Amino acid sequence: MSEISAFVAEGEQDAEATVRPKRLAEFIAQHRVRDQLDLLLKGAMGRGTPPDHILLSGPPGLGKTTLANIVAAELGSGIRVTSGPAIERSGDLAAILTSLAVGDVLFIDEIHRIAKPAEELLYSAMEDFRVDVVVGKGPGATAIPLDVEPFTLVGATTRSGLLTGPMRDRFGFVAHLDFYSVEDLDLLLHRSARILGVPITEDGATEIAGRSRGTPRIANRLLRRVRDYAEVRGDGTVTLETAREALRVYDVDALGLDRLDRAVLTALVDSFKGGPVGLSTLAVAVGEQPDTVEEVCEPFLVRAGLLARTPRGRVATDAAWLHLGRNPPAAPAGARPTGQNPPADLFSADRRFP
Ligand SMILES: Nc1ncnc2c1ncn2[C@@H]1O[C@H](COP(=O)(O)OP(=O)(O)OP(=O)(O)O)[C@@H](O)[C@H]1O
């Protein structure tokens, strides 16, 4: 995708790794989750046992992978990384599980997309540190029990609602990551700029923070784009002016909406008269997968008061019409959500995405 989304593009992974916090103390904001994790890890380390399995949920780019790596680093353990869609057969998962060393962390990203047979294998591994590997087919098939060393599973999901009950119940600690406030992203940007050796002014950082959709990955990515601009067309310092100019070039608007976000709102308003319209129809209208629209665009658009999910479909709020420079159509009171004129403190800590 060309737009500045929360998905990580190939080739940008190294850039992300450079600024990725390695320890809990370096992890910015999310104080509640940090505190809870700190207790969980220290308690387990004190007892000399692996901590309970951990589930991290929240939209892309808020720090789930980072936290999984931090858990392993704090425990001084090894980490194996895989993802739900990568585990096609339960045998693949059995091979990973039986090769874990005592105390290892197994990180499964997008755990809600794991195939059913593999999920069932995971249940016994999580609970009893044992897996039954089935050899052969039909009546001659036999289950061979194999031991798994005590380990900690860290699962990450952008769709915790899709996890089955039995899976969710096997996690001893569940953390939901919230969008970040502008102040938090400001801190994060100063930290990243220091690591990257990029001079940045206070107002330059605040400008980027305000357009980062509450998401660290986007903040870091915008910083790299503004750095390019500052180095090529300025004196190398990220200032308010270079930030504004660069973000204009990259089509990131004052609220941080990118091309896809605006395409979604524009389709809603122009093609469907503001909705309601179903997710799949909306996704076709913008040429994207429904999952991308639902997981990448919508959480922010809903939180910003620009889009509402109703039982009859997606609806553009009055604030969305106004943001696109259109007059909202007159409607009977209560017929269409008004949203909110996006406030200046869009990301203040008390305005959390429900
Ligand atoms: N609290 C934080 N403090 C500092 N940097 C952070 C924080 N959270 C995330 N980041 C940075 O944001 C980037 C994205 O984080 P990460 O890859 O952990 O997100 P994610 O939630 O796992 O996303 P996805 O669901 O797409 O895998 C990382 O490069 C990391 O450096």
Side-chain angles (χ1 to χ4, degrees):
M1 284 187 292
S2 60
E3 69 273 7
I4 307 276
S5 79
F7 277 141
V8 61
E10 250 177 69
E12 294 216 320
Q13 283 165 1
D14 287 352
E16 278 209 348
T18 317
V19 294
R20 199 184 279 282
K22 307 277 184 294
R23 304 306 289 250
L24 210 46
E26 299 167 42
F27 193 79
I28 287 174
Q30 307 285 352
H31 299 288
R32 192 171 39 83
V33 171
R34 263 175 52 180
D35 209 33
Q36 293 168 344
L37 259 184
D38 188 50
L39 282 172
L40 182 87
L41 299 181
K42 285 191 176 139
M45 284 193 283
R47 290 187 297 275
T49 54
D52 270 358
H53 303 300
I54 299 168
L55 178 66
L56 304 171
S57 77
L62 298 193
K64 298 182 293 298
T65 305
T66 304
L67 275 180
N69 282 287
I70 286 176
V71 166
E74 294 289 340
L75 293 171
S77 307
I79 181 166
R80 289 288 298 272
V81 178
T82 185
S83 75
I87 303 170
E88 285 174 9
R89 294 170 306 138
S90 51
D92 300 339
L93 181 61
I96 297 174
L97 286 165
T98 52
S99 68
L100 293 175
V102 181
D104 271 358
V105 168
L106 171 61
F107 175 52
I108 306 185
D109 203 1
E110 297 189 74
I111 195 164
H112 60 277
R113 293 178 61 189
I114 197 166
K116 194 74 196 157
E119 178 173 330
E120 278 162 12
L121 191 89
L122 200 51
Y123 293 163
S124 55
M126 290 170 81
E127 210 154 76
D128 307 320
F129 300 116
R130 194 178 59 88
V131 287
D132 287 324
V133 178
V134 179
V135 181
K137 280 190 179 150
T142 36
I144 303 177
L146 295 176
D147 284 338
V148 175
E149 298 290 2
F151 71 104
T152 298
L153 175 68
V154 179
T157 179
T158 49
R159 306 278 302 276
S160 60
L162 294 186
L163 281 183
T164 60
M167 173 66 104
R168 185 191 296 269
D169 291 346
R170 283 170 170 76
F171 288 99
F173 173 62
V174 179
H176 179 78
L177 297 187
D178 282 323
F179 284 110
Y180 291 61
S181 68
V182 171
E183 296 76 32
D184 293 337
L185 291 178
D186 215 67
L187 280 177
L188 184 139
L189 283 162
H190 280 291
R191 174 181 175 276
S192 300
R194 207 169 44 247
I195 294 170
L196 296 172
V198 180
I200 189 166
T201 62
E202 289 295 332
D203 50 6
T206 308
E207 184 67 18
I208 299 174
R211 299 196 195 198
S212 299
R213 308 173 52 177
T215 306
R217 173 173 296 143
I218 297 180
N220 282 331
R221 191 174 296 169
L222 293 182
L223 174 65
R224 295 197 297 275
R225 298 294 76 80
V226 178
R227 171 184 64 177
D228 292 340
Y229 186 95
E231 287 174 355
V232 174
R233 305 220 175 130
D235 66 0
T237 302
V238 170
T239 62
L240 175 64
E241 204 170 278
T242 46
R244 282 194 178 149
E245 276 306 304
L247 297 178
R248 189 181 55 72
V249 170
Y250 284 102
D251 220 5
V252 176
D253 74 15
L255 283 183
L257 304 197
D258 63 20
R259 185 202 60 81
L260 184 57
D261 299 317
R262 279 197 304 276
V264 166
L265 289 185
T266 308
L268 250 180
V269 163
D270 289 348
S271 308
F272 304 104
K273 301 192 171 77
V277 60
L279 173 66
S280 319
T281 311
L282 187 58
V284 169
V286 296
E288 273 296 348
Q289 293 297 321
D291 277 0
T292 305
V293 173
E294 188 171 30
E295 290 171 35
V296 179
C297 302
E298 284 192 352
F300 178 76
L301 293 176
V302 169
R303 184 170 186 272
L306 298 166
L307 180 142
R309 291 170 172 152
T310 73
R312 292 193 302 135
R314 273 58 177 173
V315 176
T317 63
D318 284 357
W321 287 80
L322 294 170
H323 185 65
L324 294 176
R326 324 266 211 283
N327 284 328
R336 191 180 53 254
T338 54
Q340 287 139 3
N341 287 326
D345 67 338
L346 192 60
F347 298 110
S348 72
D350 54 351
R351 283 182 48 81
R352 297 299 186 198
F353 176 59

